[in-house]
Amino acid sequence: MSVSANPVNWFEIAATDLDRAKSFYETVLEVQISPPNDIAGNQLCFFPMEMTSPGAAGALIKGEKSKPSMEGTCIYFGVASIDPVLQRVESAGGKTCTPRVSIGEYGFIAHFADTEGNLVALHERPQM
C-alpha cells in the first residue's frame, strides 16, 4: 500500500431491498445511483464515481453474504453541512442516531440508521 494514499478505495453498503436502499440514498445524498448490476452472484447499485479522482467509490449490495448491520464497520460520507442531510435521512425513512457533534479541529460528525438497518455516518469538514 502506498503511504501517500488513503487506504480505502471501495465500500459496499448491504441492503435487503435494493430499490428501497437506492431511493433512500438518492434522496439523502442528492445523487443518482445506478440500476442493479449482477456481479459474481450479487446485485450492486453503484454510487456516482470518477475513477481518476481521489476518495473511495462504492455501491449498495444485495447478496447472500452481505447483511445490514448496526455493528462493525461504519462508512462516513463527506457532506457540506450535516443538518440538512439529517433532515433528509428522517424524511426518507431513516433515523438519526447521533446528531451533529464537534470533533474539534476535524469538523463535525453525525450517525444515522438507514432503511436497511445499517449504521452510517456523515462528516462535515471545518470551515476554513
Side-chain angles (χ1 to χ4, degrees):
M1 176 170 55
S2 170
V3 293
S4 64
N6 290 321
V8 176
N9 68 359
W10 186 257
F11 65 87
E12 293 174 345
I13 299 174
T16 54
D17 182 329
L18 274 180
D19 290 334
R20 177 179 62 203
K22 182 177 179 293
S23 176
F24 175 80
Y25 282 99
E26 285 179 334
T27 299
V28 168
L29 299 176
E30 298 181 321
V31 297
Q32 288 298 118
I33 297 173
S34 79
N37 294 274
D38 291 324
I39 301 173
N42 299 295
Q43 289 187 303
L44 288 95
C45 295
F46 300 106
F47 285 88
M49 67 180 90
E50 293 290 331
M51 295 305 292
T52 58
S53 295
L60 300 170
I61 185 169
K62 180 179 179 182
E64 186 178 310
K65 295 182 180 179
S66 298
K67 305 292 181 212
S69 176
M70 292 290 287
E71 302 171 356
T73 303
C74 184
I75 301 297
Y76 282 73
F77 285 100
V79 297
S81 180
I82 286 174
D83 290 332
V85 178
L86 287 179
Q87 289 174 355
R88 291 192 298 271
V89 163
E90 297 282 337
S91 67
K95 179 183 174 196
T96 299
C97 298
T98 306
R100 183 178 182 267
V101 61
S102 174
I103 53 171
E105 65 183 285
Y106 302 106
F108 300 87
I109 62 168
H111 295 87
F112 65 88
D114 71 8
T115 55
E116 304 308 296
N118 293 299
L119 181 66
V120 183
L122 304 169
H123 176 238
E124 175 185 324
R125 293 182 188 264
Q127 299 294 323
M128 297 289 183

